[in-house]
Amino acid sequence: MTAALIWLIIGIGLIVAEVLSGDFVLLMLGTGALAAAGAEAITGNIYIDVAVFAIVSTGMLGLVRPALKRRFLAGPGIKTNAEALVGSQAVAMSDVDSHGGQVKLAGEPWSARTLTEGDVIEAGTHVTVVEIQGATAVVSAAI
């Protein structure tokens, strides 16, 4: 029964340590250790314990971890930062051409330029953000 307690402590320790790492590796190993603790309590054979630990941990790392990473770490495709501004509407605060200008985007003034060479967007015109290049919004006239 002592080996089962050791496996149990290792399993719980790995699962708790997962909180700090957030990569789902320690969680999979901790689950394998908990399964080994169960095998030890049932069989009392250390070789079976190690085999159960290896099989469960490997299976969890290969099958469960990728699904968890897709679900929780990658997110559902939520755009953040400058990526979230692409496609949004803005208002030209000054004339905007291919060399520069200013727009009011998300309540803040941004430096801007037009998407195509030679286009000039007059102040007060509604524009659509096509892309963000550094701190400059590339815009085109709103459709």
Side-chain angles (χ1 to χ4, degrees):
M1 193 62 161
T2 308
L5 186 60
I6 292 171
W7 279 113
L8 186 65
I9 291 169
I10 290 170
I12 292 171
L14 287 169
I15 291 171
V16 168
E18 177 63 40
V19 172
L20 299 174
S21 75
D23 200 32
F24 298 122
V25 173
L26 298 177
L27 180 64
M28 304 301 122
L29 296 177
T31 304
L34 292 178
E40 171 62 29
I42 293 170
T43 66
N45 186 334
I46 190 70
Y47 297 113
I48 293 176
D49 303 345
V50 172
V52 166
F53 172 76
I55 291 168
V56 170
S57 295
T58 303
M60 296 283 285
L61 284 169
L63 300 174
V64 177
R65 182 174 177 259
L68 284 176
K69 284 186 74 167
R70 275 192 307 275
R71 174 74 170 108
F72 293 111
L73 297 182
I78 297 172
K79 296 179 180 179
T80 59
N81 301 332
E83 186 180 81
L85 297 173
V86 174
S88 62
Q89 300 294 310
V91 177
M93 295 172 54
S94 66
D95 288 349
V96 180
D97 59 18
S98 59
H99 301 290
Q102 272 199 326
V103 296
K104 189 168 196 171
L105 175 61
E108 299 287 328
W110 276 69
S111 59
R113 67 174 183 79
T114 57
L115 178 63
T116 53
E117 185 78 27
D119 281 353
V120 177
I121 298 172
E122 295 179 9
T125 305
H126 289 275
V127 296
T128 301
V129 177
V130 178
E131 66 179 297
I132 302 290
Q133 291 182 342
T136 303
V138 179
V139 298
S140 66
I143 299 170

